[in-house]
Amino acid sequence: MTTQFPDEPVTGFSGPPREFTDAEGREITVREVTSNDTEALVQMYVEFDPTDRAQGIPPSTETAIRKWLDVVLSEDALNVVGVHEGRPVGHVMLVPDRHGAYELAIFVLQAYQGAHIGTELVRTALGLAQREGIECVWLTVERWNTPAVALYQKIGFERTGDASFELEMSLRLAPDG
Amino acid sequence: MRLIVGVDGSEDAMTALEAVTSRARETGDEVTVAVYSHNDSTADVEHTVREQLLAADFDASVMTLEDDPAGQLVDIAETEGYDRIVLSGGHRSPLGKIQLDSVLEFVLLNAHTTVTLIR
């Protein structure tokens, strides 16, 4: 895929660790994923509501979830997790493509949706990406998922492609300085 | 059955073609490979396809679709009476999302012929 990126970088992202209170008054900690988180993430995705899957992920069986997480949690990827009362409730991943850019995706457990956790998680992950010297981030989102499109636009993503079922959106980060 | 298989030269498409030919060998289906490309190098894709068919020792006709491959696939399938259009069912993004390209989307929405996606 040849992704177009906006010329103007978006700034103002803070990396992990961060803490915030969500719209429901829950204390959420956002931090980088460590190898100790793998089992808890598997559990989060096993519990994930199938209707909230996006383009085939997360996979539906535990075996497939583990295989998928192997890719997502690989060394060259960036992962940020939102933790409430000791367990992960949201997860942002940035996985490198073959062109030096990173694909972003986010999943938030159903009970934690609609409380601005997604926005905070994505912003924190972008802060981490900027800290790591990443400049180009893209994602795809299903056309009919207007809440997600609005969320990404608010963060600063721009629509860069809609040749297919999915919309493509991308964002440029400022070089870290 | 007469099948028309759209192949864009991607790894997924070549794997799908392999699945089609090995199945057709058992069922006796007649296979036409319609080659197209997303970046103007139809000749390269055609070459790869012919090599794979040769290696598999499978007899199929090969045609190339230069402009508007999606429209042509739908059109040819209908006018030439194919029973089925076969396409590979989408690529995987770096983090594992299934991505359906525009050719696949157009064919799914517009074909009157049955469409099979191979994953």
Side-chain angles (χ1 to χ4, degrees), chain B residues 28-66:
Chain B
D29 289 337
E30 186 188 322
V31 177
T32 300
V33 184
V35 170
Y36 63 97
S37 166
H38 304 283
N39 49 21
D40 303 330
S41 56
T42 321
D44 293 349
V45 182
E46 183 183 357
H47 180 74
T48 314
V49 165
R50 289 195 186 278
E51 293 229 303
Q52 181 165 315
L53 291 171
L54 200 66
D57 192 24
F58 186 86
D59 195 19
S61 35
V62 179
M63 65 168 77
T64 55
L65 309 176
E66 295 297 342

Side-chain angles (χ1 to χ4, degrees), chain A residues 41-161:
Chain A
L41 283 171
V42 169
Q43 204 48 48
M44 175 182 138
Y45 285 114
V46 166
E47 288 170 23
F48 208 75
D49 187 333
T51 57
D52 276 353
R53 271 192 217 136
Q55 296 140 273
I57 57 169
S60 51
T61 67
E62 186 177 329
T63 315
I65 288 169
R66 284 181 187 281
K67 208 170 141 195
W68 171 65
L69 282 176
D70 272 351
V71 175
V72 166
L73 301 176
S74 69
E75 237 171 64
D76 47 359
L78 300 182
N79 285 266
V80 164
V81 71
V83 178
H84 180 234
E85 291 176 347
R87 69 181 201 125
V89 298
H91 173 204
V92 180
M93 59 214 76
L94 283 149
V95 179
D97 67 15
R98 287 184 224 158
H99 311 286
Y102 281 69
E103 183 185 9
L104 179 144
I106 174 168
F107 293 99
V108 175
L109 277 182
Q110 282 69 25
Y112 291 83
Q113 291 178 3
H116 307 309
I117 293 179
T119 306
E120 292 304 320
L121 276 178
V122 171
R123 293 183 57 86
T124 309
L126 291 172
L128 174 63
Q130 188 186 9
R131 199 155 78 197
E132 297 289 327
I134 292 166
E135 286 189 39
C136 294
V137 178
W138 60 274
L139 59 89
T140 62
V141 55
E142 283 146 332
R143 265 183 215 154
W144 52 83
N145 193 352
T146 41
V149 175
L151 183 153
Y152 293 131
Q153 268 169 339
K154 198 173 69 184
I155 290 169
F157 281 88
E158 291 181 21
R159 287 167 59 155
T160 45

Side-chain angles (χ1 to χ4, degrees), chain A residues 1 55 57 68 93 95-97 103 105 140 143 163-166, chain B residues 11 92-102 104-105 108-109:
Chain A
M1 173 178 322
Q55 296 140 273
I57 57 169
W68 171 65
M93 59 214 76
V95 179
D97 67 15
E103 183 185 9
T140 62
R143 265 183 215 154
S164 188
F165 287 111
E166 308 96 35
Chain B
E11 206 176 305
R92 290 274 179 176
S93 75
L95 59 75
K97 283 187 175 178
I98 295 165
Q99 296 184 307
L100 308 180
D101 68 30
S102 53
L104 185 48
E105 178 179 7
L108 284 176
L109 295 177

Side-chain angles (χ1 to χ4, degrees), chain B residues 1-4 29-30 76-78 80-86 112-116:
Chain B
M1 255 199 325
R2 294 180 66 228
L3 313 177
I4 184 162
D29 289 337
E30 186 188 322
I76 293 167
E78 207 165 321
E80 299 186 13
Y82 283 95
D83 300 297
R84 194 175 286 257
I85 300 172
V86 184
H112 292 277
T113 314
T114 301
V115 182
T116 295

